[in-house]
Amino acid sequence: MADFVIMTDSCCDLTAEMAAELELEVLPLRLELGDRSCRNLLDGSEIGFKEFYDLVRGGAMPVTSAVNVGEFDAAMRPILEAGKDILCLCFSSALSTTYQSAVIAAKELGEAFPERKVLVVDSLCASMGQGLLVWLCAREKKRGMSLEELRDYAEGAKGNICHWFTVDDLNHLKRGGRVSATAALFGTMLSVKPVLHVDGHGRLIPMEKCRGRRASLLALVDHMEKTAVDPERYPVFISHGDCREDAEFVAEEVRRRLGVKEVYFNYVGPVIGSHTGAGVMTLFFVGRER
């Protein structure tokens, strides 16, 4: 059985330590902050996570860009030359062109390396939801799944990766066209906090409105309570926009209410954080459906 590598992109928001432990190849997306260009590296070495959120709080307006075809080619080619195949799990195609770039690169490299395989999966996931899917796939790889078996596993599992999150500042969603300027203004005045999720098509969908931050955090756990599968068996992934205390609060709730044993934390990375703002709080888990 040929060896293969799991490849993903930095919108998985895993820690650098987790990515190394899982033996992942991770390609960074990018962001522009004025005249400063940074790669969204998992270790934060080009822009620190807290530094990024401090800049956003100060009014910075980052512009983000996907992994392009050439970058995928440059990362994939040495792996294929070494005689290994690739399973590439990409950020949702509804939120980025990264998946499309991977598909194009895979097709071109398939012609150059006909004896090798590059299989690309649209995760339809974001942030540590994508990270949770990658984590599950890496676990199954270590258990002996073949490349094709793991591709099929990923395609089946991605619809069970539930994404729930809330934001602290509606103005970033206004910039992205998720809420109107009027809704952002009055929502801010009334301390309305939206609860959103990523649906089965990988799209960001507003689901409800809560009065106040605590209510919105509890709503995340309420949704998990309704749909989670075997919460004592599967880990929960929580990412945050520089609000670790809120992340700990949500973690304590899922432990208390659902008996969760494993919780992994990290920042929402700068690329996704550019669209959500500081204070975003996310909860990812395995559920019956999204």
Side-chain angles (χ1 to χ4, degrees):
M1 181 175 67
D3 192 11
F4 66 95
V5 171
I6 297 178
M7 178 178 286
T8 190
D9 57 74
S10 61
C11 281
C12 69
D13 286 343
L14 294 170
T15 65
E17 293 77 15
M18 289 179 75
E21 182 182 339
L22 298 174
E23 300 179 337
L24 306 175
E25 182 78 17
V26 184
L27 276 67
L29 282 78
R30 294 178 177 269
L31 64 152
E32 308 291 329
L33 282 159
D35 58 359
R36 181 180 177 185
S37 178
C38 309
R39 291 178 296 167
N40 180 180
L41 298 173
L42 296 187
D43 63 3
S45 56
E46 292 200 2
I47 182 165
F49 302 113
K50 184 158 182 46
E51 175 194 4
F52 166 76
Y53 283 109
D54 285 344
L55 289 169
V56 168
R57 288 187 182 103
M61 306 280 279
V63 176
T64 63
S65 57
V67 185
N68 62 41
V69 175
E71 289 166 332
F72 271 116
D73 185 290
M76 291 175 170
R77 190 174 291 271
I79 296 170
L80 301 177
E81 288 174 344
K84 297 181 180 181
D85 298 325
I86 299 170
L87 176 65
C88 187
L89 304 169
C90 296
F91 183 31
S92 173
S93 63
L95 302 172
S96 171
T97 59
T98 295
Y99 166 72
Q100 287 86 351
S101 294
V103 169
I104 293 168
K107 182 178 180 182
E108 293 175 353
L109 288 167
E111 296 170 359
F113 297 89
E115 74 286 1
R116 299 265 60 87
K117 296 177 182 177
V118 181
L119 305 182
V120 183
V121 174
D122 180 0
S123 74
L124 301 177
C125 294
S127 190
M128 286 188 87
Q130 179 181 338
L132 176 53
L133 180 65
V134 171
W135 185 93
L136 290 169
C137 287
R139 183 184 66 174
E140 295 305 322
K141 179 177 185 284
K142 288 182 179 179
R143 290 175 174 174
M145 273 195 185
S146 69
L147 176 68
E148 288 84 359
E149 287 172 337
L150 196 57
R151 186 267 317 276
D152 294 344
Y153 172 82
E155 291 286 3
K158 67 187 186 184
N160 300 104
I161 307 297
C162 298
H163 300 53
W164 289 96
F165 70 100
T166 186
V167 298
D168 200 39
D169 183 355
L170 285 165
N171 289 304
H172 285 272
L173 293 181
K174 180 191 74 175
R175 279 181 58 204
R178 300 294 174 184
V179 299
S180 69
T182 301
L185 174 62
F186 284 101
T188 301
M189 290 171 60
L190 298 171
S191 192
V192 170
K193 307 298 181 184
V195 173
L196 308 94
H197 86 142
V198 174
D199 72 2
H201 300 285
R203 302 170 301 191
L204 190 62
I205 306 294
M207 296 298 289
E208 64 182 286
K209 299 174 184 177
C210 297
R211 289 293 297 272
R213 178 70 163 181
R214 181 182 173 86
S216 69
L217 298 179
L218 290 172
L220 304 181
V221 186
D222 292 341
H223 284 290
M224 180 175 177
E225 203 165 32
K226 293 173 186 173
T227 60
V229 171
D230 294 333
E232 295 183 5
R233 173 185 168 199
Y234 290 108
V236 165
F237 282 29
I238 295 175
S239 53
H240 62 91
D242 198 27
C243 51
R244 179 65 186 237
E245 287 186 6
D246 287 342
E248 295 283 1
F249 173 78
V250 171
E252 185 55 35
E253 283 294 306
V254 300
R255 291 187 185 108
R256 182 178 66 83
R257 288 162 59 176
L258 292 111
V260 169
K261 299 291 192 295
E262 286 184 279
V263 180
Y264 294 95
F265 299 92
N266 199 21
Y267 283 89
V268 171
V271 165
I272 294 178
S274 295
H275 302 281
T276 60
V280 59
M281 254 301 308
T282 73
L283 176 62
F284 306 103
F285 58 92
V286 176
R288 292 190 302 275
E289 59 185 4
R290 290 201 188 181

